[in-house]
Amino acid sequence: MAFKSKIKWVALFVLVLSFASLLRHLSIAKYSTVDLVQYSALTAFHNDFDTLSGRQSIPNKKLWEPVKPLQSLQPYANPRSNYPVPNEQSNGFIYAKIFGGFSKIRTTICDLVTISRLLNATLVIPDIQESTRSKGISHRFKSFTYLYDEEQFIASLKNDIIIVKSLPDNLKAARKRNEYPSFRPKNSASPKFYMKEVLPKLKKAKVIGLVIADGGCLQSILPPGMAELQRLRCRVAFHALQFRPEIQILGHRMVERLRAWGQPFLAFHPGLLRETLAYHGCAELFQDVHTELIQYRRAQMIKRGIVHEELSIDSHLCRENGSCPLMPEEVGILLRAMGYPPKTIVYLAGSETFGGQRVLVPLRAMFPNLVDRTSLCSNKELLDILGPETPLPLNPFQPPPAKSEAQLKEEWKKAGPRPRPLPPPPGRPIYQHEKEGWYGWITETATEPDLSAVDLRMQAHRLIWDALDYIVSMEADTFFPGFNNDGSGWPDFSSLVMGHRLYETASSRTYRPDRKVVAELFNMTRDNVYHPKHNWTLSVQEHLKKSLGEEGLIRQSLLSKPGVFISHPLPECSCRISSAEVPVHVKGNDGQSVHGGEEECPKWMQHGQEVPLESAGEEDKVEDNELSEYGSTLVEQPESNDSDRTNTSLVFDQDDEMDPND
């Protein structure tokens, strides 16, 4: 009995202590003055980087260093021969309507200026249909000025062509009556076409119109005797086309906020666009309704004659051929294999990422500091840059009317012979998002509805978002494209950024991966993609390092330049300063220079810019001592079946966040 009594007292004592502890915690929770703080990406950055040993310390500095073999390349798009100023007595006026998004607009404007110079014509500021079609945008802007600085554009090209803001008053009425001849040139139109077909009608009518929807109106590669026209394209793309001041201010403010953390950052553009995925038949890389959306758009392209293949093709075969984009998960694995630590700041560029946030989840798990414009800008800043807009129509969404009691009784009577089944459960409410966009039509109708006023306005907004991303991508320490050189002939965002970075600072770190090679690498380790072997990691590093240098430039010249000149403006728009290394001169099958054909820079450019002697091929070598730079990222583990071999895996192999089954 005494033993049982002791147990009762001990149990009572434990209960009293538990009750006292509970009261203590409740009082702390009730009277605590600590407020809950909402998560902020910038606050997370601050906490992350404050934990680093010193804000100035940059891990793996070699991942951010300039590409030394390309340091001798300098931008030089000035005229180099007899280049007269434009004749005031031009042959007539050229006005144009430009259809398409950000990339198509930019390349088309470059072609329009070049054609105006070729035909000795006066160019009327072109109409950007993405902004004029979008009803309700700010009244402060008019088409071209919605995106670009009109005054800067006119002043910068005053020595090349004559540009006017509109047609003279005596010619406007005839344009409204469509009395002037118009053309719909393709992006492969030759100078001969303009000289023989367009110029005679221009001289006769004094005004012609161009309707351009292919992302250009002049072939990319011009005869060697037209090198000055190629340099004119560079002056337009890299000097004359400046975004309006509000966009530039906010874009550079975003860069300053990224730089404020004292760490370099990498810009990544996925290139996941619905039109591009449909053109190349990459539907099977997605799931559920996204596959249906891609296939529907592909069927439209086949009907219009844009695509000449079958509707259903093997998407995985297209991926192995390099026709499909790298998925964000694959890009994250490549960057980690290169040695980029998890705390690397990755800026996500692109106004549209087909597949939404779901396709970005693996990349965000590998790089938690993945940000975009919404992370760096407040809603007020993004709204201010759009200007005052007219209000959209009232919300047209109406839930289905509720059935009356009489209707329910009538349905019950018509339910069929007895014994009747139990009545169906009450219908769940229909939410608004289920009737907006593609949610509302893909499951109900076989035809995609016309764009609504909201859709048209969003198209105009995407021009602004792409412009902001373009500025950040240009200023990034490293740029990685998810999709470029797709072979469609259409310009893409990544190619334009890569061409501009090559022109401005050729030695900046811009990866140019071969998607076919990358697909082969992933096929080698598909079952152990999160636990790669040491040799696989070295193969990734070797390929990506080669893509940074001359080998990547040669491939870029062969694949990208035939489609869009400003995506690879070498050698026409560059020169080389004195260098101890002599670049390899490579020519194509047509005899034109592919790489290494740049002229020597003028003496005024070479002063103080001599490139020091560097060991040949230093950027392309993967040496053991260099792997020590990745000591914080790579961990070697012994193989179980062979004691002489080692296995290198990434540190995120042991990270719970990186578990693919998590």
Side-chain angles (χ1 to χ4, degrees), residues 225-282:
M226 295 185 175
E228 290 298 344
L229 293 181
Q230 299 288 53
R231 282 187 274 273
L232 175 58
R233 276 174 160 169
C234 293
R235 292 197 293 275
V236 177
F238 308 138
H239 298 281
L241 279 179
Q242 301 291 332
F243 301 116
R244 57 182 167 94
E246 298 89 345
I247 297 177
Q248 293 193 53
I249 292 174
L250 183 57
H252 290 295
R253 190 181 301 161
M254 293 165 62
V255 175
E256 291 175 358
R257 290 170 181 171
L258 288 169
R259 299 280 187 211
W261 307 110
Q263 299 291 326
F265 70 95
L266 179 147
F268 164 58
H269 186 267
L272 296 176
L273 305 178
R274 183 181 171 194
E275 285 74 13
T276 306
L277 296 168
Y279 181 87
H280 293 285
C282 304

Side-chain angles (χ1 to χ4, degrees), residues 15 112 120 168 233 238 267 270 286 304 339 377 413 423 476 480 492 508 552 558 590 603 607 655:
L15 287 175
L112 283 173
N120 187 27
R233 276 174 160 169
F238 308 138
F286 293 82
R304 297 173 185 173
C377 303
K413 292 178 181 179
F480 197 104
D492 59 86
S508 60
L558 294 174
D590 55 357
K603 293 182 179 180
H607 180 67
D655 190 354

Side-chain angles (χ1 to χ4, degrees), residues 140-141 244 246 379-388:
R140 293 192 304 171
F141 311 110
R244 57 182 167 94
E246 298 89 345
N379 289 333
K380 183 179 184 303
E381 288 176 319
L382 295 177
L383 290 176
D384 289 344
I385 200 174
L386 300 174

Side-chain angles (χ1 to χ4, degrees), residues 407-424:
Q407 289 176 321
L408 294 175
K409 288 183 178 180
E410 186 67 22
E411 291 180 359
W412 176 251
K413 292 178 181 179
K414 298 179 180 179
R418 293 177 175 82
R420 296 171 182 171
L422 293 175

Side-chain angles (χ1 to χ4, degrees), residues 475-494:
E475 297 293 334
D477 299 277
T478 301
F479 181 76
F480 197 104
F483 199 44
N484 68 303
N485 298 335
D486 61 350
S488 65
W490 299 332
D492 59 86
F493 184 93
S494 292

Side-chain angles (χ1 to χ4, degrees), residues 414-547:
K414 298 179 180 179
R418 293 177 175 82
R420 296 171 182 171
L422 293 175
R428 66 174 181 82
I430 298 179
Y431 299 100
Q432 179 173 350
H433 72 269
E434 296 179 305
K435 292 296 181 182
E436 289 182 343
W438 51 266
Y439 286 99
W441 69 268
I442 193 68
T443 58
E444 297 180 2
T445 64
T447 305
E448 186 172 2
D450 296 332
L451 296 177
S452 64
V454 177
D455 296 328
L456 293 173
R457 181 174 292 187
M458 288 180 62
Q459 284 185 349
H461 291 177
R462 288 193 187 104
L463 299 179
I464 307 298
W465 310 149
D466 281 332
L468 293 174
D469 293 343
Y470 191 91
I471 294 175
V472 177
S473 299
M474 280 297 302
E475 297 293 334
D477 299 277
T478 301
F479 181 76
F480 197 104
F483 199 44
N484 68 303
N485 298 335
D486 61 350
S488 65
W490 299 332
D492 59 86
F493 184 93
S494 292
S495 292
L496 297 187
V497 170
M498 294 164 71
H500 200 161
R501 288 170 64 92
L502 178 61
Y503 172 80
E504 290 284 351
T505 311
S507 59
S508 60
R509 297 188 75 88
T510 303
Y511 289 99
R512 305 172 183 89
D514 186 340
R515 292 188 300 276
K516 186 176 181 180
V517 174
V518 172
E520 294 175 355
L521 288 172
F522 276 110
N523 288 339
M524 292 167 52
T525 183
R526 182 59 63 182
D527 296 333
N528 299 299
V529 68
Y530 283 88
H531 304 272
K533 305 295 183 183
H534 179 57
N535 290 339
W536 186 88
T537 303
L538 293 180
S539 298
V540 170
Q541 294 176 359
E542 181 181 9
H543 173 68
L544 292 181
K545 286 188 176 184
K546 287 182 177 180
S547 74

